[in-house]
Amino acid sequence: MSNIDHFIEEVSEEVRRDRLLLMMRRYGWIAILLAILIVGGAATNEFLKAQEAAKAEALGDGILGAFEANEPAARVEGLTGVTSESEGRIVAALHLAAEQQAAGDLAAAKSTLTAISADDTIAKRFRDLARFKTLLLAGDDTSHEERRSGFEALAIPGSGFRLLAEEQLALIEVETGATDDAILRLQAILNDNEASAGLRRRATQLIVALGGEIQTT
């Protein structure tokens, strides 16, 4: 390599170095900012995870602590004091309704379940569960028509409680003397691919008890 070529190469290298330094002076703050954001975001994410874990742990401890009581009334009192801002509070509320029912306070259980089903901030699956359990608690003070209307609203396609609601509708038909309609509904449950083994077993037993014949497709 001639001296001229060597000189040109050195000059070119200096120019590239100067340009790099200039770019770093102009835009280096962007790289620093990105680094800060990445580190800060990771730290914030870990902090939020720790907070959620602490809330979940507190909720679990509260529920377990309530269940350590021997009497339903004491468990109700313990569960009433359980609070949470997460979906876990719904779990606590559902347990509370079950314990209120076990303690014989059906009015309180219905009130707890109604509050869940009426809260639009709660996921639909929990609201539907609360509605379903409320209808199961309905006694003689609730007409067949009102119960039927409630279960029909849960028996729509896409509902997670569709088949269980269909089963309850069949039982209402039995109560009202519409035996043939009940058998047809139970047969449809048997032939539904989404029916669980337990539901199929109950449907089969009820069809036989009603004098019907099992027809599968």
Side-chain angles (χ1 to χ4, degrees):
M1 181 182 296
S2 67
N3 290 334
I4 294 177
D5 292 337
H6 185 71
F7 175 75
I8 292 174
E9 184 178 347
E10 287 183 350
V11 171
S12 299
E13 184 65 28
E14 287 293 332
V15 170
R16 285 195 294 268
R17 188 180 299 111
D18 290 342
R19 287 179 177 175
L20 178 60
L21 290 173
L22 180 60
M23 292 284 289
M24 290 181 64
R25 291 192 186 99
R26 286 183 178 178
Y27 306 109
W29 64 272
I30 296 178
I32 295 172
L33 179 60
L34 287 175
I36 292 173
L37 290 175
I38 292 171
V39 174
T44 301
N45 189 43
E46 290 300 319
F47 174 74
L48 293 176
K49 284 183 180 180
Q51 277 195 323
E52 289 300 320
K55 288 179 182 178
E57 184 176 351
L59 176 66
D61 289 344
I63 294 175
L64 291 175
F67 278 113
E68 289 179 357
N70 294 323
E71 298 297 326
R75 292 196 290 271
V76 167
E77 183 178 355
L79 286 167
T80 301
V82 175
T83 59
S84 172
E85 296 177 359
S86 66
E87 280 191 342
R89 67 189 170 91
I90 311 305
V91 176
L94 291 170
H95 279 303
L96 173 59
E99 292 302 327
Q100 288 169 330
Q101 180 182 357
D105 194 347
L106 296 184
K110 290 179 182 178
S111 178
T112 299
L113 292 169
T114 299
I116 296 173
S117 62
D119 190 342
D120 291 336
T121 66
I122 295 174
K124 187 176 184 301
R125 62 183 182 279
F126 291 121
R127 285 184 280 131
D128 285 349
L129 174 58
R131 291 189 184 100
F132 184 80
K133 292 174 72 68
T134 301
L135 289 167
L136 291 181
L137 288 176
D140 296 334
D141 57 334
T142 305
S143 66
H144 289 117
E145 289 74 19
E146 187 176 347
R147 290 169 54 213
R148 181 184 290 111
S149 176
F151 283 121
E152 284 176 347
L154 293 172
I156 61 175
S159 170
F161 297 89
R162 177 177 63 85
L163 290 175
L164 292 176
E166 290 284 1
E167 180 185 25
Q168 294 302 316
L169 287 169
L171 292 174
I172 292 174
E173 288 166 342
V174 172
E175 292 174 9
T176 56
T179 304
D180 292 341
D181 291 338
I183 291 175
L184 288 174
R185 193 181 297 274
L186 293 167
Q187 290 284 6
I189 292 175
L190 277 179
N191 294 321
D192 196 303
N193 293 330
E194 296 181 3
S196 66
L199 181 55
R200 291 175 189 274
R201 182 172 59 254
R202 294 195 302 273
T204 299
Q205 292 171 346
L206 188 52
I207 289 173
V208 173
L210 293 174
E213 296 182 359
I214 305 300
Q215 299 176 359
T216 58
T217 58

